[in-house]
Amino acid sequence: MNFMMRRAIRQYVQVAPYLMLGVVLTAVFVLYPLIKGIYISFFEYKVLMPEESLFVGVDNYVKALNDPKVYIALRNTVLFAIVTVPGQWLLGIIVAMLVNLKTIRFKLLFRFLYYLPVISSWIVVSYLFKYLFADGPSGIINYLLVEVLHVLPHPVSWLQNTWTASVVVWLVSIWKGIGWVMIMYLASLQSIPRAIYEAAEIDGARGVRVFMNITLPLMRPMTTYVLINLIIGSFQAFIQVFLITEGGPMDSTHLLSTYMFRHAFQFFDFGYAAAISVMMGLLIFVMTYSQQRTFGKERIEY
């Protein structure tokens, strides 16, 4: 027993420096900002002179709960998740199935092309879509719909209307996320033993039946992982709205993240922004926890 204890202590001492590095980095870059953000939310915080910050208690939270624009931002955030999460998931799994087919040639090329948006800068992609959906006849999409395809009688002011601007944001988010979902599902598809499909072929199963009764159930753990990450990512979306619509027109396309950013770095109301961020963090935690409680314990044995 003493030998086992000494061996365990020796092993712990050997790995302790590596563990301490992770603990220190987590404390500095995760725990401290988290605690500091909660602290700031109870103050009318002055960044340049923190000692003059005025304690206001829960007034910032009360203000947020009575702010109609917070509910507009919450609505936009929820709609963003409802549209982009299923869109990325469905299109990603379809692309993964197509790329995984035996009859498809140049698979590496297709993987690269579909994954290219994922590794592209959000700034570049956002400005690209802002240019594509530019208002008036100068926008490429308007030119195609009006002059080439003759689908519309006149150009659409995509970014000057709440819902069309939201559609542009949804499209760029879905397009950029398909490649990540594809890669995840390709890894899952290639881990399924061929023997299962061969047995299904012998039993006469084909096409959609194989996908619905074999492939999809066996990929359930990956589906859980993908959906949880997509939901979390949808509630953290920021750059595409900030660069494409800037929250307009008339603050109608703000997400919670962009509305929080505006109050912090445009109005310098850091206490109110911190209160919004704490509420958004609690919302993400509740949704993630509920998803993990629902799906997290599922295991599939081949």
Side-chain angles (χ1 to χ4, degrees):
M1 187 67 177
N2 291 335
F3 171 75
M4 295 296 293
M5 285 289 293
R6 288 196 301 270
R7 182 180 179 184
I9 293 172
R10 186 167 62 251
Q11 290 177 342
Y12 178 77
V13 170
Q14 290 173 347
V15 301
Y18 304 99
L19 294 176
M20 285 304 299
L21 178 61
V23 170
V24 170
L25 291 175
T26 302
V28 172
F29 294 105
V30 178
L31 295 179
Y32 174 74
L34 176 63
I35 296 171
K36 186 70 173 181
I38 296 173
Y39 171 81
I40 291 174
S41 69
F42 295 105
F43 287 82
E44 187 178 306
Y45 197 76
K46 301 181 185 300
V47 178
L48 298 180
M49 293 176 289
E51 65 279 358
E52 296 185 9
S53 299
L54 178 65
F55 179 77
V56 296
V58 297
D59 286 359
N60 286 323
Y61 293 94
V62 174
K63 179 182 175 182
L65 291 174
N66 290 297
D67 186 350
K69 291 185 179 180
V70 168
Y71 292 98
I72 293 174
L74 177 61
R75 177 204 66 187
N76 293 337
T77 303
V78 172
L79 281 174
F80 182 88
I82 290 174
V83 173
T84 61
V85 170
Q88 291 175 79
W89 178 79
L90 183 60
L91 293 175
I93 197 171
I94 290 174
V95 170
M97 293 292 295
L98 292 174
V99 172
N100 197 54
L101 290 174
K102 289 182 178 180
T103 55
I104 298 296
R105 301 176 62 187
F106 308 111
K107 291 185 178 183
L108 288 177
L109 175 61
F110 283 113
R111 290 180 192 177
F112 170 75
L113 292 176
Y114 281 112
Y115 197 72
L116 185 60
V118 180
I119 59 177
S120 300
S121 168
W122 264 113
I123 297 175
V124 174
V125 170
S126 297
Y127 279 122
L128 171 64
F129 270 73
K130 188 174 184 178
Y131 174 73
L132 289 174
F133 287 91
D135 299 333
S138 60
I140 293 178
I141 299 300
N142 276 334
Y143 175 76
L144 291 175
L145 293 177
V146 177
E147 301 295 336
V148 178
L149 301 177
H150 304 290
V151 175
L152 299 176
H154 52 79
V156 176
S157 298
W158 294 98
L159 303 181
Q160 302 305 316
N161 178 275
T162 300
W163 296 110
T164 54
S166 296
V167 167
V168 175
V169 172
W170 296 341
L171 287 175
V172 65
S173 303
I174 292 172
W175 176 75
K176 199 172 189 305
I178 291 173
W180 180 80
V181 178
M182 176 200 71
I183 290 296
M184 294 295 105
Y185 275 108
L186 275 176
S188 183
L189 284 168
Q190 292 169 4
S191 68
I192 299 175
R194 282 298 311 167
I196 297 178
Y197 290 114
E198 291 169 359
E201 274 187 49
I202 294 173
D203 291 337
R206 293 287 187 278
V208 177
R209 286 187 61 191
V210 171
F211 175 76
M212 296 300 297
N213 296 315
I214 296 176
T215 305
L216 202 56
L218 289 176
M219 293 193 301
R220 193 172 299 162
M222 179 58 72
T223 299
T224 302
Y225 173 79
V226 167
L227 288 178
I228 289 175
N229 278 274
L230 289 178
I231 291 171
I232 294 173
S234 67
F235 276 82
Q236 295 176 333
F238 171 78
I239 297 177
Q240 56 269 56
V241 175
F242 183 73
L243 293 180
I244 294 176
T245 70
E246 299 179 11
M250 299 181 65
D251 295 336
S252 62
T253 60
H254 270 299
L255 303 180
L256 285 173
S257 57
T258 57
Y259 192 62
M260 172 193 67
F261 180 89
R262 183 185 184 192
H263 276 275
F265 297 101
Q266 292 183 3
F267 301 154
F268 298 101
D269 192 353
F270 285 92
Y272 185 54
I276 296 174
S277 71
V278 171
M279 295 170 69
M280 185 172 68
L282 289 173
L283 178 62
I284 294 174
F285 172 78
V286 170
M287 294 195 63
T288 305
Y289 181 75
S290 63
Q291 290 290 326
Q292 289 178 336
R293 290 280 295 178
T294 304
F295 302 109
K297 294 183 180 179
E298 292 187 4
R299 294 291 184 273
I300 300 294
E301 298 293 339
Y302 298 136

